[in-house]
Amino acid sequence: MAYLAAYDVHHAKVFGRTEPRTGIVPFMNLVTQVMSRESYASAKRVFWILDNGSSHRGKTAAARLTNAFPNTVMVHTPVHASWLNQVEIYFSVVQRKVVSPNDFTDLAQVGDRLRAFEDRYNATAQPFQWKFTTSALDDLLARLDRHTADSQEESSTEPAT
């Protein structure tokens, strides 16, 4: 079983569904679930921020999305940066609060617990307060550059064995 979810960052609203597996059809089922509702159906643009999963990667996937829903815009996070996608924060919460410990007796129980959590989350959640600024990003990149330079310096001075 796969749990797919979309996250409205402005309203802290989760749209989730369980599917037998991942893939193009399950992904488009999720998109249809969201895009068939107001205010998304009549919005000028709806941005879908996605990781680089195979069911929604590339020009074919982007064309499939915009052909089905012309007001959608597909945006991918950089590879290995899915943490920028706020639904990943929600999935992290699900992992800690719903899936662990893995004490389920069957898949139906997993689905029931996921839906119950999603309902509770939607009743109480507030939008995430993103605090990662461009200056914080600059600081992080500078630290990474220094770390990379230090590592390269150390490896070039190590004696060959």
Side-chain angles (χ1 to χ4, degrees):
M1 175 191 316
Y3 180 58
L4 290 81
Y7 186 77
D8 181 326
V9 299
H10 298 290
H11 301 102
K13 170 95 172 130
V14 174
F15 301 91
R17 62 184 303 110
T18 55
E19 294 275 355
R21 62 189 53 82
T22 61
I24 294 168
V25 171
F27 172 71
M28 289 306 293
N29 289 343
L30 175 66
V31 172
T32 301
Q33 176 183 335
V34 174
M35 295 303 298
S36 61
R37 299 175 187 228
E38 287 301 334
S39 64
Y40 313 101
S42 62
K44 182 178 178 182
R45 290 184 307 190
V46 177
F47 290 93
W48 282 79
I49 311 300
L50 302 162
D51 62 12
N52 288 280
S54 60
S55 62
H56 47 264
R57 177 178 55 218
K59 292 179 183 177
T60 303
R64 183 183 316 110
L65 187 66
T66 55
N67 287 338
F69 303 98
N71 62 335
T72 59
V73 178
M74 186 179 282
V75 179
H76 289 93
T77 58
V79 176
H80 304 298
S82 62
W83 59 272
L84 293 169
N85 187 341
Q86 291 188 25
V87 77
E88 297 294 341
I89 298 169
Y90 171 76
F91 284 139
S92 175
V93 173
V94 166
Q95 177 65 39
R96 291 187 316 273
K97 304 276 185 185
V98 180
V99 180
S100 297
N102 184 357
D103 59 354
F104 304 102
T105 56
D106 59 30
L107 288 178
Q109 190 179 36
V110 176
D112 292 344
R113 196 178 297 176
L114 284 166
R115 281 184 290 284
F117 180 79
E118 185 180 307
D119 290 343
R120 181 169 177 246
Y121 185 91
N122 283 334
T124 60
Q126 297 292 316
F128 295 114
Q129 296 301 312
W130 196 257
K131 295 182 175 147
F132 199 76
T133 64
T134 55
S135 62
L137 177 61
D138 289 341
D139 292 345
L140 174 62
L141 292 172
R143 284 195 316 271
L144 289 171
D145 285 345
R146 283 193 303 273
H147 176 74
T148 302
D150 291 347
S151 295
Q152 289 173 348
E153 200 173 284
E154 287 175 12
S155 65
S156 65
T157 60
E158 291 177 5
T161 55

